[in-house]
Amino acid sequence: MATESAVGTVGRSSAWMVEAALGFLWIVLGVAVLAWPEATIRVVAVLLGLGLLAVGVIRVLLGLVAGRRLGSIVVGVVLAVGGVLCLADVATGKGALAFLVAALWVIDGAAELVLAVGARGSDRIWLFVVGGLTVVAGIAFLVWPQLSLASIVLTISIAAIVIGFCQIGFAASLRRSGA
């Protein structure tokens, strides 16, 4: 929480107001994401497209200027093209976002399973369970991409609302303590 920076900028007596305002903004964000899930997914897909385009261009430039390997240039071109495709067609961006979440979960789950092989005792069991469930969730997201996008929106909105209420609770505590 941004208490110290808020305290230094605004003064100790009004820090609680800044924290309460931040909490309110988090709640508004969470409700907005929940109210307009399709718009949220579109925004994230556009941001993904912009990010892929930027990273791709940077990789190509570094490959050309810094004399990096041809592979870096090729990866940069692929990323940039992917970014352009995401920006040209938001549905492609949404699909890429869903695929990215699914792929990361499958990779993370596989890493947990590899760790489980070398672990001992109850750690081994937990690593197998977590790894297996993560791989299954990733595969489910590959099969049903809308499920992953809906879960992202739901997670963002719930997290923002909970953070907002906690921030307001913190603001109330600051006000009671006279900070």
Side-chain angles (χ1 to χ4, degrees):
M1 299 197 193
T3 305
E4 291 305 316
S5 62
V7 170
T9 306
V10 181
R12 295 195 65 78
S13 62
S14 53
W16 72 269
M17 288 189 278
V18 172
E19 295 293 343
L22 289 172
F24 178 74
L25 289 174
W26 273 113
I27 292 169
V28 168
L29 172 69
V31 170
V33 168
L34 201 52
W36 296 291
E38 185 63 29
T40 300
I41 292 170
R42 286 181 183 277
V43 168
V44 173
V46 167
L47 291 174
L48 175 65
L50 290 171
L52 289 172
L53 179 60
V55 170
V57 168
I58 290 168
R59 275 193 175 254
V60 169
L61 291 174
L62 285 174
L64 294 173
V65 173
R68 290 198 177 172
R69 297 182 183 187
L70 179 63
S72 180
I73 295 171
V74 170
V75 168
V77 169
V78 169
L79 289 171
V81 168
V84 169
L85 290 174
C86 287
L87 292 171
D89 180 14
V90 176
T92 300
K94 290 176 4 183
L97 179 62
F99 177 78
L100 183 64
V101 170
L104 290 173
W105 276 25
V106 169
I107 291 167
D108 183 52
E112 295 285 342
L113 291 171
V114 168
L115 289 173
V117 171
R120 300 285 176 242
S122 64
D123 291 351
R124 181 181 185 135
I125 294 167
W126 283 111
L127 286 169
F128 270 120
V129 170
V130 170
L133 289 174
T134 305
V135 167
V136 168
I139 291 170
F141 281 10
L142 284 171
V143 174
W144 300 290
Q146 291 302 339
L147 173 66
S148 64
L149 297 175
S151 67
I152 289 169
V153 168
L154 186 60
T155 302
I156 289 170
S157 62
I158 290 171
I161 291 168
V162 169
I163 289 167
F165 279 114
C166 291
Q167 193 91 36
I168 289 171
F170 178 60
S173 175
L174 283 176
R175 185 173 186 199
R176 282 192 300 272
S177 70

